[in-house]
Amino acid sequence: MKTLKTGEFYGQTNQTLHLDFATITDTEYTHDSVDWHYHENAYFTFILQGNVIEGNKKEVYTCTPGSLLFHNWQDPHYNIKPKGYTRGFQIEINNHWLSQADIDIQNLQGSFSIDNPQVKLLFYQLFKESKANDDASIPATEALLLQVLAGMESNAATGSRNRPDWVKQVKEAIADDISRKFTLKEMAVVANVHPAHLSRDFSKYFNTNLGEYIRMMRIEKALSLMHSRKLSLT
């Protein structure tokens, strides 16, 4: 099974930035399928345009614009690209930098999808910084990446085993009808908990309040739709 080195991805590479703490790559997916392979570094894949199917030993993900995947190092996976243009943005993490920053990603095992809108919105900022590429971009990118990893560590600390059932129910209800005008009372009915309980504990599992979470979900959805030629910008 092939192991891809730093900065190496299947497809056409449009841009590679080698920084002290990470390697950032902008890649067009040109292969209809890619067999099982490894990467020598832990890395993120953020889908900017098009679609790709990615499978690992546990899950198969159908990725659309705005999808974000994390791959811990030496975790094998494969790719299938449907017809059409597909573009991804990858950030490989320097292991030495991780140890210096006192960040432990060993509890983030395997490959998995990230659906936290706060983390995904940070990736749009990371992409913007990669294109600005001025003398302020390097510290901005490092700070943003630290925010991403902190958000992931926070999510891992309140893992699915510790989350009450209402967290998933509320998350799915908002995602299923993102344009709806939600109220705290309606969400409490969905969650089958008292509104005061939902308001008090919401930030414990979502790292923000209900209103801000809905706003972030709407912004993230809008950004993912901007590349669609079937819709007007309005």
Side-chain angles (χ1 to χ4, degrees):
M1 192 180 300
K2 184 173 182 179
T3 299
L4 300 186
K5 303 300 182 181
T6 302
E8 185 180 5
F9 290 90
Y10 289 102
Q12 177 181 318
T13 299
N14 296 326
Q15 179 189 33
T16 301
L17 298 176
H18 294 285
L19 307 176
D20 290 341
F21 52 90
T23 298
I24 300 176
T25 311
D26 183 344
T27 306
E28 293 179 26
Y29 290 68
T30 56
H31 294 60
D32 292 335
S33 64
V34 174
D35 205 356
W36 289 92
H37 61 281
Y38 292 101
H39 292 259
E40 69 173 358
N41 302 309
Y43 76 101
F44 296 92
T45 293
F46 189 52
I47 302 301
L48 298 168
Q49 294 174 259
N51 302 275
V52 67
I53 298 168
E54 179 160 310
N56 58 51
K57 292 180 178 179
K58 295 181 179 180
E59 302 282 347
V60 176
Y61 301 107
T62 299
C63 302
T64 56
S67 294
L68 177 62
L69 300 177
F70 175 77
H71 313 261
N72 211 332
W73 74 283
Q74 292 293 327
D75 190 70
H77 54 272
Y78 66 89
N79 303 101
I80 299 172
K81 186 183 81 68
K83 291 183 179 179
Y85 178 82
T86 302
R87 180 184 179 194
F89 175 64
Q90 292 86 22
I91 298 182
E92 297 176 77
I93 306 170
N94 182 301
N95 289 326
H96 181 63
W97 173 76
L98 280 174
S99 61
Q100 285 187 321
D102 196 25
I103 295 172
D104 183 9
I105 63 170
Q106 294 309 308
N107 60 337
L108 304 174
Q109 294 295 330
S111 298
F112 55 88
S113 176
I114 300 170
D115 61 2
N116 184 331
Q118 294 168 305
V119 174
K120 292 169 81 171
L121 289 174
L122 289 171
F123 261 80
Y124 283 106
Q125 295 182 55
L126 283 162
F127 179 71
K128 174 187 171 184
E129 291 297 342
S130 74
K131 298 307 175 186
N133 198 22
D134 58 18
D135 58 356
S137 292
I138 294 176
T141 298
E142 186 172 15
L144 287 166
L145 190 55
L146 285 168
Q147 284 182 260
V148 166
L149 292 168
M152 291 174 64
E153 282 190 312
S154 176
N155 283 353
T158 57
S160 57
R161 292 182 181 179
N162 301 321
R163 293 175 186 168
D165 292 341
W166 64 260
V167 172
K168 181 180 179 182
Q169 293 163 353
V170 167
K171 185 180 292 185
E172 290 179 348
I174 294 171
D176 287 345
D177 193 3
I178 195 65
S179 61
R180 179 181 167 189
K181 294 183 179 180
F182 296 98
T183 66
L184 179 62
K185 185 176 180 180
E186 289 172 339
M187 285 292 95
V189 171
V190 169
N192 195 28
V193 297
H194 192 278
H197 176 79
L198 178 63
S199 178
R200 182 181 64 248
D201 282 11
F202 191 90
S203 61
K204 184 188 299 183
Y205 302 103
F206 291 86
N207 298 309
T208 188
N209 63 56
L210 175 60
E212 284 301 312
Y213 180 79
I214 292 170
R215 287 194 187 105
M216 285 190 291
M217 288 289 289
R218 288 174 175 168
I219 292 169
E220 191 243 312
K221 182 66 175 178
L223 288 168
S224 71
L225 291 172
M226 281 186 175
H227 289 294
S228 173
R229 297 182 179 180
K230 297 179 181 179
L231 302 170
S232 70
L233 185 60
T234 302

